[in-house]
């Protein structure tokens, strides 16, 4: 007995279609949830250098935080309106959310279930809080989104080895981003669920993270003559005085 096109369930879509539908619906929801923030975004004081493409206002963070990718983003020379930056940031975020949901669910999972999972990821409270620094975080989140999409097309082994490239790059944007990449590998519906596979994944992640640290330290030594990172003054404890 053969299956005709009309017999195929709506949920049994190919990966690209599933990604487009889930990401599109999630983006609609996140922009509705954002409300006025999407039309006239609030900008935090230390997010202005990224909005204005002013590298001088962010340069010190290469030494104190190792955020080189964000610094290079400040060098772009092109100033775009805040609402456009916010829309782009949220697009990258929902792309990560949607691609992660598709990657975590089996191909025959109902599309409504996958979309619900994507929305839950996208509207998580920590995600909404960190989105207030959207101008600065665009490049790093773009890489996270790219990794999530590629994970849906590559084998689990290839996805794991991509950590060696993406973890060091995203570490230079925001410390938490590499762990989002690890989460994608851990939740993949096609991954080999064995102790050996988990051990290989953890080892690759640790090596990738170490490479990122060494890259940051090397760049700091080349630019600032400091092999490491220097704690910013405002992060030091300030005991109360009577």
């Amino acid at each position: 007995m053969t299956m005709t096109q009309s017999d195929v369930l709506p949920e049994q879509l190919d990966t690209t279609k599933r990604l487009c539908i889930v990401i599109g619906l999630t983006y609609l929801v996140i922009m509705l949830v954002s409300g006025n923030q999407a039309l006239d975004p609030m900008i935090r004081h230390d997010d202005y250098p990224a909005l204005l493409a002013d590298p001088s206002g962010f340069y010190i963070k290469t030494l104190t935080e190792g955020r080189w990718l964000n610094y290079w983003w400040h060098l772009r020379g092109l100033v775009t309106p805040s609402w456009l930056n916010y829309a782009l940031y949220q697009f990258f975020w929902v792309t990560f959310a949607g691609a992660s949901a598709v990657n975590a669910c089996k191909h025959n999972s109902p599309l409504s279930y996958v979309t619900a999972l994507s929305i839950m990821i996208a509207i998580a409270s920590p995600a909404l809080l960190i989105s207030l620094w959207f101008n600065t975080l665009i490049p790093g989140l773009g890489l996270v989104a790219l990794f999530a999409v590629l994970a849906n097309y590559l084998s689990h082994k290839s996805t794991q080895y991509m950590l060696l490239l993406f973890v060091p790059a995203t570490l230079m944007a925001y410390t938490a981003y590499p762990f989002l990449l690890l989460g994608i590998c851990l939740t993949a519906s096609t991954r080999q669920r064995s102790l050996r596979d988990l051990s290989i994944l953890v080892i690759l992640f640790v090596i990738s993270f170490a490479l990122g640290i060494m890259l940051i330290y090397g760049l700091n030594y080349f630019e600032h003559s400091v092999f490491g990172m220097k704690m910013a003054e405002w992060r030091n404890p300030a005991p109360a005085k009577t």
Side-chain angles (χ1 to χ4, degrees), residues 168-211:
T170 55
L171 184 61
M172 293 191 295
Y174 186 55
T175 313
Y177 283 165
F179 295 96
L180 296 181
L181 308 184
L182 178 62
I184 293 172
C185 295
L186 288 171
T187 58
S189 61
T190 57
R191 76 181 184 88
Q192 299 295 320
R193 300 180 183 276
S194 66
L195 181 59
R196 179 177 180 276
D197 179 72
L198 178 61
S199 299
I200 293 175
L201 174 58
V202 172
I203 291 172
L204 277 174
F205 180 77
V206 171
I207 292 175
S208 301
F209 205 93
L211 287 175

Side-chain angles (χ1 to χ4, degrees), residues 96 99 141-152 154 158-167 170 180-185:
F96 161 77
L141 191 56
L143 290 178
V144 171
L146 176 61
F147 183 93
V149 171
L150 291 176
N152 284 275
L154 301 177
S158 297
T159 302
Q160 286 183 328
Y161 282 108
M162 282 201 307
L163 293 172
L164 294 169
L165 176 63
F166 279 81
V167 167
T170 55
L180 296 181
L181 308 184
L182 178 62
I184 293 172
C185 295

Side-chain angles (χ1 to χ4, degrees), residues 13 34 67 81 95 149 156 168 195 220 227:
L13 304 171
S34 299
R67 302 173 72 180
T95 297
V149 171
H156 182 61
L195 181 59
N220 281 356
F227 186 74

Side-chain angles (χ1 to χ4, degrees), residues 15-45:
T15 300
T16 301
K17 288 183 179 179
R18 289 171 72 86
L19 282 172
C20 290
I21 293 174
V22 173
I23 291 172
L25 292 174
T26 307
Y27 190 65
L28 177 62
V29 171
I30 199 70
M31 296 306 282
L32 290 175
V33 170
S34 299
N36 290 333
Q37 178 72 358
L39 300 175
D40 185 19
M42 174 183 176
I43 303 173
R44 299 292 177 131
H45 69 282

Side-chain angles (χ1 to χ4, degrees), residues 89-128:
Y89 172 90
Q90 291 293 16
F91 174 75
F92 285 151
W93 175 243
V94 301
T95 297
F96 161 77
S100 297
V102 172
N103 186 56
C105 298
K106 297 183 181 299
H107 288 291
N108 59 352
S109 298
L111 194 59
S112 58
Y113 176 85
V114 182
T115 303
L117 176 59
S118 174
I119 293 173
M120 290 175 63
I121 296 172
I123 65 173
S125 296
L128 294 178

Side-chain angles (χ1 to χ4, degrees), residues 1-2 8 17 29 33 41 51 55 64 70 74 83 93 100 121 126 138 140 145 150 162 173 200 221 225 227:
M1 181 178 178
T2 59
V8 179
K17 288 183 179 179
V29 171
V33 170
L51 172 65
T64 60
N70 293 341
H74 285 65
W83 64 265
W93 175 243
S100 297
I121 296 172
I138 286 176
L150 291 176
M162 282 201 307
I200 293 175
Y221 182 76
S225 299
F227 186 74

